[in-house]
Amino acid sequence: MALVFACATLALADSSKVLKLKKVTSDIVVDGIIDPAWSVADSATGFYQYQPFHGREPSRRTVARVLTTEKALYCLIVCYDKKENIQQNTGKLDDFGGDVVSIMLDTFGDKRTAYKFAVTAAGVRADCRLLDDARNRDYSFDGVWFSDAKVYDWGFVVEMEIPYRSIQYDERLTEWGLDFDRWVPALNEDLYWNPYEENEGQRVSKFGRLVFEDFRPSIKGMNLEIYPVAISKATYLREGIYKGEPDAGIDIFYNPSQSLTFQLTGNPDFAQIEADPFRFNISRYEVYFNERRPFFTQGAEVFMPSGRERNSGFYRPLELFYSRRIGKKLPDGSEVPLLLGTKAFGRLQEWEYGGFLAMTGEKDYNLNGTRQTEQQAYFGSARVKKQILGNSSVGMLFVGKHTKDYDTGVLDIDGAFRASDWQLSYQVARSFMNSDGDFAGSVGMLMFKESMILGVRGRYIGDNFDVNQVGFVPWRGTGELTALGGPRWYFNEGYLKQIFFYIGGVLNYERVDGYTDHMWALGLNMQFRNNWGYEITFIRGRSKDLDVKYSSWELDYSTWFNVHPEWRAGAGGSILKTYNFSRNYLAPYSSTWAEFSWHALKVLDVGTSLNMFVEGNPDNKIEDITYNARPFFSLTPLNDLNIRVYLDNVYVRSTKQVHQVIFGLLFSYSFLPKSWIYLAINEIRDRSPEYDSTGLLLPNRLHVTDRASVLKLKYLYYF
């Protein structure tokens, strides 16, 4: 049970940060060359250094300008530096390195959410949505906008064109929130136009102002995006025999107004998705996997509970809408087909709302030699959220599933009270399975002060709180209370950036054991100015599992190294005494992980993840060791053209054998905005039981259990 604090980062805005938006009548050519039209634009100067030395003057000068036409907003950012210091790396959308600049726009004036558009010195684009006063990011946002960059002897220039019909905004506003950002990797320097408090981090509520001088955006049009999808799939059946499956699908986005979006997918295929990484599990609970399918990730923030913090992870709201239950994998490895899905989400003044519907098909599968059927099902979700008391919020969520035999789901009320340096989040939910159900709830408070950090969280899940058909809450009949806090020292000068020491207690109740585990925790976090640091946490107490009471202890450790722009690494792990539910005994256990990536060339990244799981036995000897590695290389010869290859393998010491190998190759090319060509090849080999054509069990060997290749073409029609 790791208790990790990762310190947030953002600050206090200056009310004098105002930029006037002027209108020009002719379009601006976006090519990285400064046109004469830019001479009439208001200029944003006076950037601040957020790191590595908070509050210092920047080492490099930056000037940002903004203009508008009737159809689009234009941004120019001029970055001064020596040419040899500028890092130009190829990349693809939302995946880049090197020097980068961005513009951020609060287009609803709600001081909670904003768009972020970023461009590197090499011309690679990235975009996302800032959420919860910049505490979180939604990288599933993928807008239609244009940019270019050009490097000169004295620095580089970035130009952006953001069509108004590509974003949502409040037409009644006469100004938007505004900020700019520049990252200088050669100096490890992060610069903002607005100053922010070091202990808080960036806050949308403290943005500067973009004032519409003689213009207000009100662009009208169909705002319709249609993506026909062509798919050709080849699936391995047996030696030398494949099944070809040509197919087609469609995705539609429609914005009937600047505050409403409809999304529809028909017969989707997820060819660009990697296989899930290996997970080793000795607990009594199911393992969680992140959602990777684009239809479910786009706009997903609407259905998320309030209060989740990207930089901390301390507060843990219940995952009541777990989209991987839709089109899920069955016990024999086959998947339930997703036939149709549609979403609608938007906002009206202080209200945000969203709805989701999906239909899955009937699917036969094999379970221990017996034929089973997964019924056709309908999934639905509805969400409404209201902004209150400045940038705080309260909302309701419904998630349900209907089949011919049962109805199940959950209803939730959640919210968050926020200030710039603290957040109090809460959640209360009621599940139902036909007429049965139970309650659950979660609460958390996290406060970052200049000289102190405090976190308190609690959770209760009723015995009959069953949302496993729609959500991920496997810990029924449990309760938890954790309180941690301690002093924090920040150093304005020198190699050491900050020290954080914390102490606290943990109570953890599980009804199945009829006991409340009680523990105390002690931890230390140190961070240095060259972007490396470490954290150590020690936990000690009394626990009970399966009628066995014992003195429990745990040591968690982690370190991260981002000291050079061409490589990064991290390592960590846990050593603990715990109950091993996979072997049914109490014993020591440890897990160790490491990650490394190296930007070997301007067009090539290589790296790997490494994991080692050591299971002890009651005699304090090693029972077994499982090793897992996932080496990869990623080649990007041109921007938005990428070839990624990875090999995931699992080796077990006791058998001296590799038990599973997953090979994956993904070719992806975005030849136009939101238009892609994908080629995915995946192969899985393991040592599962294998039979010959007569039904006889073959000798154990590493053999192909799944092999498929998919060619996918997705093209945007933009109206």
Side-chain angles (χ1 to χ4, degrees):
M1 178 184 60
L3 301 172
V4 177
F5 279 103
C7 293
T9 51
L10 298 188
L12 172 63
D14 185 346
S15 60
S16 66
K17 292 289 185 178
V18 178
L19 203 64
K20 294 181 179 179
L21 180 63
K22 299 179 181 180
K23 182 181 177 182
V24 293
T25 56
S26 59
D27 291 342
I28 297 172
V29 178
V30 177
D31 56 5
I33 299 173
I34 304 175
D35 298 329
W38 285 109
S39 62
V40 304
D42 204 0
S43 297
T45 57
F47 280 64
Y48 292 79
Q49 186 177 154
Y50 181 74
Q51 71 169 29
F53 295 98
H54 180 260
R56 269 196 194 176
E57 288 293 316
S59 302
R60 302 292 184 265
R61 183 167 179 257
T62 309
V63 179
R65 298 183 179 185
V66 180
L67 286 173
T68 187
T69 64
E70 194 71 29
K71 297 180 179 180
L73 182 143
Y74 292 84
C75 177
L76 170 78
I77 303 181
V78 181
C79 303
Y80 294 90
D81 204 344
K82 294 180 180 179
K83 187 174 183 178
E84 58 268 25
N85 294 336
I86 301 170
Q87 296 181 17
Q88 306 173 65
N89 303 332
T90 58
K92 60 182 188 293
L93 182 68
D94 296 336
D95 187 2
F96 59 87
D99 286 72
V100 62
V101 295
S102 64
I103 180 174
M104 289 153 281
L105 301 165
D106 175 6
T107 60
F108 282 92
D110 62 10
K111 300 184 182 299
R112 286 186 305 116
T113 61
Y115 289 100
K116 180 172 183 175
F117 301 92
V119 182
T120 74
V124 184
R125 299 182 310 126
D127 53 22
C128 71
R129 293 267 291 155
L130 307 183
L131 309 172
D132 299 329
D133 204 6
R135 288 173 169 87
N136 289 300
R137 304 286 191 271
D138 171 27
Y139 285 98
S140 69
F141 168 73
D142 185 6
V144 179
W145 56 287
F146 309 92
S147 66
D148 204 351
K150 190 173 180 63
V151 176
Y152 300 87
D153 291 337
W154 48 265
F156 69 95
V157 173
V158 165
E159 284 187 295
M160 307 181 213
E161 177 188 351
I162 305 169
Y164 288 115
R165 64 176 181 172
S166 295
I167 58 176
Q168 294 183 322
Y169 55 86
D170 188 338
E171 297 181 43
R172 303 168 302 165
L173 297 181
T174 58
E175 62 181 54
W176 290 350
L178 175 69
D179 199 9
F180 301 97
D181 182 22
R182 178 183 177 185
W183 170 247
V184 188
L187 303 173
N188 190 31
E189 200 165 292
D190 197 10
L191 311 177
Y192 287 95
W193 184 49
N194 288 283
Y196 299 107
E197 297 291 351
E198 181 275 331
N199 61 295
E200 296 173 10
Q202 186 184 27
R203 291 289 180 258
V204 176
S205 57
K206 296 181 176 182
F207 274 14
R209 298 158 57 206
L210 177 64
V211 178
F212 306 141
E213 190 170 65
D214 54 0
F215 165 80
R216 260 196 275 177
S218 59
I219 192 72
K220 305 293 182 183
M222 291 186 66
N223 302 319
L224 177 65
E225 302 175 19
I226 299 177
Y227 307 87
V229 180
I231 307 163
S232 178
K233 186 173 183 179
T235 305
Y236 172 84
L237 298 179
R238 55 187 181 275
E239 294 296 336
I241 301 177
Y242 291 82
K243 178 183 178 182
E245 301 174 89
D247 210 342
I250 192 167
D251 294 322
I252 297 174
F253 287 81
Y254 176 44
N255 294 324
S257 73
Q258 293 304 322
S259 58
L260 176 62
T261 297
F262 286 108
Q263 183 180 355
L264 173 72
T265 185
N267 192 31
D269 179 88
F270 307 110
Q272 66 270 40
I273 305 306
E274 290 186 2
D276 289 317
F278 173 75
R279 292 285 188 267
F280 192 83
N281 184 23
I282 64 168
S283 78
R284 54 164 51 124
Y285 300 115
E286 178 187 2
V287 175
Y288 180 87
F289 290 99
N290 291 325
E291 179 61 85
R292 296 165 176 253
R293 299 171 293 178
F295 173 74
F296 293 105
T297 59
Q298 292 166 347
E301 78 280 359
V302 177
F303 304 96
M304 290 181 181
S306 301
R308 196 187 303 267
E309 294 222 17
R310 175 180 60 98
N311 287 330
S312 168
F314 182 74
Y315 171 57
R316 299 184 299 173
L318 306 176
E319 193 88 17
L320 302 178
F321 182 25
Y322 184 38
S323 56
R324 290 192 64 135
R325 305 294 191 201
I326 305 172
K328 64 184 178 182
K329 279 197 173 184
L330 297 169
D332 65 354
S334 61
E335 293 183 356
V336 176
L338 174 61
L339 304 179
L340 185 69
T342 184
K343 284 192 287 190
F345 48 90
R347 56 195 303 159
L348 181 63
Q349 297 181 20
E350 296 177 341
W351 294 86
E352 293 181 59
Y353 53 89
F356 171 89
L357 289 172
M359 180 175 68
T360 58
E362 188 175 280
K363 180 69 175 179
D364 294 331
Y365 64 97
N366 186 285
L367 179 62
N368 298 325
T370 304
R371 182 176 176 179
Q372 304 285 330
T373 299
E374 180 75 14
Q375 295 179 358
Q376 185 178 56
Y378 300 87
F379 294 83
S381 179
R383 173 68 159 166
V384 62
K385 186 191 301 184
K386 187 179 189 298
Q387 184 175 345
I388 60 173
L389 303 174
N391 69 356
S392 300
S393 61
V394 61
M396 293 182 65
L397 172 69
F398 165 80
V399 187
K401 177 182 178 181
H402 168 77
T403 72
K404 65 181 181 180
D405 290 339
Y406 63 86
D407 290 289
T408 185
V410 64
L411 182 65
D412 147 273
I413 298 175
D414 62 82
F417 296 102
R418 299 186 184 95
S420 59
D421 60 358
W422 63 268
Q423 178 173 261
L424 173 63
S425 310
Y426 60 91
Q427 180 185 44
V428 179
R430 166 78 180 185
S431 69
F432 64 89
M433 172 66 80
N434 293 328
S435 59
D436 297 326
D438 208 341
F439 288 94
S442 185
V443 64
M445 191 276 291
L446 189 60
M447 179 183 296
F448 283 89
K449 294 292 187 180
E450 290 185 10
S451 58
M452 181 267 291
I453 298 178
L454 175 64
V456 179
R457 73 183 182 207
R459 186 169 65 176
Y460 165 78
I461 302 170
D463 298 348
N464 299 313
F465 187 80
D466 184 359
V467 296
N468 285 341
Q469 293 296 316
V470 295
F472 184 88
V473 188
W475 314 280
R476 288 189 285 172
T478 65
E480 177 207 348
L481 179 63
T482 300
L484 296 171
R488 172 182 177 269
W489 295 272
Y490 177 81
F491 304 95
N492 291 311
E493 304 291 339
Y495 182 58
L496 179 60
K497 182 178 180 181
Q498 78 161 20
I499 300 175
F500 170 41
F501 170 81
Y502 55 91
I503 189 170
V506 180
L507 299 175
N508 189 23
Y509 172 76
E510 293 181 286
R511 184 178 180 85
V512 66
D513 297 317
Y515 187 79
T516 300
D517 299 346
H518 46 281
M519 294 159 281
W520 57 267
L522 185 68
L524 175 67
N525 179 298
M526 295 187 71
Q527 299 182 31
F528 301 86
R529 280 207 157 75
N530 64 344
N531 255 5
W532 85 272
Y534 66 85
E535 182 167 9
I536 301 173
T537 305
F538 180 70
I539 304 169
R540 182 67 187 265
R542 292 287 295 173
S543 302
K544 179 182 177 182
D545 288 301
L546 295 184
D547 297 324
V548 179
K549 289 185 180 180
Y550 58 97
S551 295
S552 61
W553 54 266
E554 178 176 348
L555 178 66
D556 302 311
Y557 52 93
S558 63
T559 184
W560 51 95
F561 303 89
N562 300 322
V563 298
H564 195 280
E566 291 185 359
W567 64 271
R568 62 180 56 208
S574 298
I575 304 172
L576 63 155
K577 183 179 181 181
T578 189
Y579 204 89
N580 187 328
F581 287 91
S582 67
R583 297 186 183 272
N584 198 31
Y585 55 58
L586 177 69
Y589 169 77
S590 73
S591 63
T592 304
W593 61 268
E595 295 179 342
F596 172 79
S597 63
W598 175 39
H599 190 65
L601 302 169
K602 285 187 176 182
V603 298
L604 178 65
D605 290 287
V606 297
T608 189
S609 64
L610 300 166
N611 298 279
M612 182 175 69
F613 309 95
V614 181
E615 297 175 273
N617 60 32
D619 297 326
N620 293 323
K621 296 181 179 179
I622 294 177
E623 182 70 24
D624 211 345
I625 304 177
T626 301
Y627 302 90
N628 170 240
R630 195 180 179 103
F632 75 91
F633 75 81
S634 179
L635 178 65
T636 312
L638 303 171
N639 284 345
D640 295 320
L641 189 156
N642 177 253
I643 301 170
R644 177 178 170 84
V645 176
Y646 69 94
L647 186 70
D648 193 305
N649 56 90
V650 179
Y651 177 85
V652 179
R653 191 187 74 162
S654 60
T655 63
K656 298 182 180 180
Q657 291 180 327
V658 174
H659 279 240
Q660 184 186 74
V661 175
I662 302 175
F663 168 80
L665 180 150
L666 173 65
F667 169 87
S668 59
Y669 177 43
S670 177
F671 55 94
L672 288 172
K674 301 180 81 169
S675 297
W676 292 83
I677 296 175
Y678 296 103
L679 172 63
I681 300 174
N682 290 289
E683 178 173 303
I684 300 176
R685 292 174 177 259
D686 64 22
R687 296 184 182 273
S688 58
E690 182 184 13
Y691 302 88
D692 64 16
S693 58
T694 65
L696 293 177
L697 182 66
L698 296 173
N700 180 277
R701 65 168 186 161
L702 200 64
H703 62 280
V704 176
T705 58
D706 187 29
R707 180 188 293 156
S709 63
V710 180
L711 178 64
K712 179 176 178 179
L713 172 63
K714 178 180 180 181
Y715 185 79
L716 166 65
Y717 288 95
Y718 189 42
F719 300 94

